[in-house]
């Protein structure tokens, strides 16, 4: 089975193809250049350099969020178009789950974090048992100070993984039982997305066609928040 993984939920754009238990190719660019500029050229170049065609794919693993609202829409629309034209099934994987997939040989508990703006992070907690990723706490949006206090008081060692570790690195380094992995693990990797997606597909979890899968936002966008606040002020003024 060949799985095409696509993720633009964070700053990084990452794509990969895995065939069964072999990584065929992976392409990750972690810059501020917009996902709309990067994604399609990356897919085309990666497949061409790997002597692959999109028609060779048996499954598309897509990061469904949470994360950047614009980024999620770009990757989801692209994956849906590929799925529709080539009649390929899709499987959704959340963004904090795929970050935990970067730590597959870790014997400690894992907490994945992505920046949710202001002082909040998207978070999920996991551990590996017998080689399988087990969810301890599902994806949520929390205050970073509340999360760090919770982990600090747990009396257990934690690995804190994800691009948001750099935003709060000074706070994290003060806590003895929280550890930050190498930079290569703190970026969303489409290879991890493919591995988790393949496992979900085998167990018929979150499998979709191009019509039934949608991004997972967790909370309203900043524009929606501002609109609600504006409408509340207008209603209060009546």
């Amino acid at each position: 089975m060949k799985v095409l993984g696509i993720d633009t939920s964070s700053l990084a754009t990452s794509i990969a193809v895995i065939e069964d238990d072999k990584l065929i190719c992976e392409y990750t660019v972690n810059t501020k250049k917009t996902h709309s500029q990067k994604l399609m050229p990356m897919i085309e170049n990666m497949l061409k350099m790997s002597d692959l065609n999109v028609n060779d794919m048996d499954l598309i693993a897509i990061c469904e969020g949470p994360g950047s609202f614009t980024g999620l829409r770009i990757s989801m629309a692209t994956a849906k178009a590929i799925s529709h034209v080539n009649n390929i099934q899709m499987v959704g994987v959340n963004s904090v789950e795929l970050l935990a997939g970067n730590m597959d040989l870790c014997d400690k508990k894992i907490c994945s974090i992505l920046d949710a703006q202001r002082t909040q992070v998207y978070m999920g907690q996991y551990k590996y048992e017998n080689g399988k990723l087990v969810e301890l706490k599902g994806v949520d949006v929390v205050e970073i100070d509340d999360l760090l206090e919770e982990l600090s008081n747990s009396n257990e060692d934690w690995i804190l993984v994800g691009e948001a570790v750099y935003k709060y690195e000074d706070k994290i380094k003060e806590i003895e039982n929280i550890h930050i992995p190498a930079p290569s693990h703190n970026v969303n990797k489409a290879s991890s997305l493919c591995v988790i997606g393949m496992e979900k597909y085998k167990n018929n979890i979150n499998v979709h066609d191009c019509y039934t899968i949608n991004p997972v936002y967790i909370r309203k966008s900043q524009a929606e928040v501002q609109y609600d606040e504006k409408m509340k002020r207008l209603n209060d003024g009546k």
Side-chain angles (χ1 to χ4, degrees):
M1 171 180 277
K2 290 187 180 70
V3 183
L4 171 64
I6 302 174
D7 175 34
T8 59
S9 63
S10 65
L11 180 62
T13 302
S14 188
I15 55 175
V17 174
I18 281 184
E19 183 175 9
D20 299 325
D21 59 354
K22 179 182 178 182
L23 175 63
I24 303 297
C25 48
E26 184 170 29
Y27 194 167
T28 300
V29 178
N30 192 22
T31 68
K32 292 184 178 180
K33 193 172 183 180
T34 62
H35 295 302
S36 60
Q37 293 174 289
K38 294 183 286 189
L39 184 56
M40 281 310 300
M42 285 172 61
I43 293 174
E44 292 169 357
N45 290 338
M46 182 186 72
L47 293 178
K48 182 178 180 180
M49 287 189 292
S50 305
D51 294 323
L52 292 170
N53 190 288
V54 72
N55 294 324
D56 299 326
M57 301 301 114
D58 301 297
L59 181 69
I60 298 172
I62 179 71
C63 180
E64 60 187 5
S68 160
F69 286 72
T70 302
L72 289 172
R73 287 191 286 268
I74 290 168
S75 57
M76 188 64 72
T78 301
K80 282 188 172 190
I82 295 172
S83 168
H84 175 70
V85 171
N86 299 281
N87 193 29
I88 304 171
Q89 283 189 296
M90 303 173 66
V91 60
V93 177
N94 76 61
S95 51
V96 290
E97 183 179 26
L98 86 85
L99 276 167
N102 292 350
M103 307 300 302
D104 62 318
L105 296 178
C106 180
D107 60 358
K108 296 178 175 61
K109 290 184 176 180
I110 304 160
C111 183
S112 306
I113 57 171
L114 287 168
D115 186 22
Q117 302 302 318
R118 297 180 181 176
T119 58
Q120 295 183 319
V121 292
Y122 297 114
M123 179 277 306
Q125 296 178 10
Y126 303 88
K127 66 177 179 179
Y128 273 90
E129 291 183 350
N130 300 317
K132 302 293 184 181
L133 186 62
V134 177
E135 181 181 275
L136 301 176
K137 281 190 177 181
V139 60
D140 197 2
V141 59
V142 297
E143 291 287 334
I144 184 62
D145 288 341
D146 293 342
L147 175 63
L148 294 180
E149 182 179 5
E150 174 196 335
L151 301 184
S152 177
N153 293 335
S154 69
N155 296 317
E156 296 182 272
D157 280 338
W158 286 85
I159 299 295
L160 204 57
V161 59
E163 66 177 25
V165 300
Y166 301 115
K167 182 175 181 178
Y168 302 106
E169 190 170 10
D170 290 342
K171 290 184 177 184
I172 296 167
K173 285 184 174 179
E174 294 177 356
I175 304 172
E176 291 185 358
N177 65 321
I178 300 179
H179 312 281
I180 298 174
S184 58
H185 298 306
N186 287 318
V187 63
N188 288 23
K189 292 184 176 181
S191 53
S192 297
L193 172 63
C194 290
V195 171
I196 296 173
M198 192 181 303
E199 187 67 21
K200 285 181 176 290
Y201 180 77
K202 290 176 181 176
N203 291 284
N204 197 30
I205 298 172
N206 214 16
V207 179
H208 298 270
D209 59 27
C210 63
Y211 301 106
T212 60
I213 192 168
N214 288 295
V216 175
Y217 294 122
I218 301 298
R219 69 176 191 183
K220 294 180 179 180
S221 69
Q222 187 62 27
E224 290 172 317
V225 170
Q226 291 173 343
Y227 175 79
D228 289 345
E229 290 174 351
K230 179 181 179 181
M231 294 306 296
K232 185 177 186 301
R233 289 196 299 270
L234 289 172
N235 291 330
D236 290 345
K238 289 182 178 179

